[in-house]
Amino acid sequence: QVQLVESGGGLVQPGGSLRLSCVASGTIVSIYTMGWYRQAPGQQRELVARIFSGGSTNYADSVKGRFTISRDNAKNTVYLQMNSLKPEDTAVYYCNADRRRLGGMTYNYWGQGTQVTVSS
């Protein structure tokens, strides 16, 4: 059974930094596209960043240059380093693992989320 557990959220002042962690069990992160998503109150969940199994990444325009997604295969963990945080970054951040095979089978898992609040 695949489980994703996020941690590292909290309260930070504007301009500050946080590092979120997502630890996977029951699988290995290296074979998945791993993503960070966020959902603010009253808003839909949105993609923040992804790292593909080959190591390439992409980011939402709103976080480019400020956030960095990375993966530590030895620790089976994905990170989201968040710098220069803004109040509009406030949301629950979710870890996602996605794997899609050529034969049509898909695998998609979500963590339970960690709250990030950016406020003075």
Side-chain angles (χ1 to χ4, degrees), residues 75-90:
K75 296 181 178 180
N76 213 28
T77 300
V78 175
Y79 303 96
L80 184 67
Q81 178 67 47
M82 305 185 295
N83 299 325
S84 302
L85 283 161
K86 305 174 181 179
E88 51 263 45
D89 295 318
T90 296

Side-chain angles (χ1 to χ4, degrees), residues 22 24 27-32 34 51-55 70-79:
C22 172
T27 190
I28 54 175
V29 299
S30 61
I31 66 172
Y32 286 82
M34 302 297 300
I51 183 167
F52 298 91
S53 60
S70 62
R71 184 181 67 215
D72 187 334
N73 292 338
K75 296 181 178 180
N76 213 28
T77 300
V78 175
Y79 303 96

Side-chain angles (χ1 to χ4, degrees), residues 54-104:
S56 61
T57 60
N58 60 29
Y59 299 89
D61 288 341
S62 59
V63 307
K64 284 182 178 177
R66 300 188 298 121
F67 291 10
T68 303
I69 188 171
S70 62
R71 184 181 67 215
D72 187 334
N73 292 338
K75 296 181 178 180
N76 213 28
T77 300
V78 175
Y79 303 96
L80 184 67
Q81 178 67 47
M82 305 185 295
N83 299 325
S84 302
L85 283 161
K86 305 174 181 179
E88 51 263 45
D89 295 318
T90 296
V92 178
Y93 283 71
Y94 297 91
C95 183
N96 173 262
D98 185 86
R99 189 184 187 198
R100 304 189 178 192
R101 305 301 303 273
L102 292 177

